Amino acid sequence: MSPRDIRCEEVIEQLFDYLDRELDEEMQHRIERHIEHCRDCFTRAEFEKRLRRRLGETSRVAAPESLHRRLREVMESF
Ligand SMILES: [Zn+2]
């Protein structure tokens, strides 16, 4: 594991920003690489992506902060 690799905790912390593509290119790339090799984070990312797609079908408005908090709790209880 190289020092440039990031931990699961960091991926989870920045998952929403990652999916929104709000991170800088390097961080975006690091998370991408982590997810490719980490089944746990891959599952979380897929879960969140699917959820967003479903939300996107009903509304283009971003999920409110309260929903984000609930999602975090759900993911942490996995
Ligand atoms: Zn991970």
Side-chain angles (χ1 to χ4, degrees):
M1 196 171 173
S2 86
R4 286 167 57 86
D5 288 336
I6 58 172
R7 293 172 300 131
C8 294
E9 286 82 0
E10 292 172 89
V11 172
I12 294 162
E13 233 166 69
Q14 301 188 82
L15 185 60
F16 291 119
D17 288 336
Y18 165 70
L19 292 170
D20 287 336
R21 307 228 162 247
E22 280 174 3
L23 300 169
D24 62 50
E25 208 175 306
E26 197 196 338
M27 187 54 83
Q28 196 81 20
H29 189 71
R30 281 192 201 173
I31 293 180
E32 217 158 81
R33 237 182 21 169
H34 179 100
I35 286 173
E36 279 173 19
H37 298 285
C38 178
R39 201 171 170 75
D40 285 350
C41 291
F42 177 80
T43 305
R44 283 191 187 95
E46 281 302 301
F47 174 82
E48 173 64 16
K49 266 193 241 172
R50 233 171 295 150
L51 204 90
R52 282 175 175 236
R53 213 171 299 145
R54 209 179 310 159
L55 287 173
E57 283 165 13
T58 53
S59 166
R60 289 197 171 272
V61 179
E65 191 53 41
S66 62
L67 179 59
H68 275 181
R69 257 203 311 274
R70 261 199 348 253
L71 286 174
R72 258 180 228 269
E73 284 166 15
V74 169
M75 286 192 282
E76 277 159 15
S77 68
F78 270 178

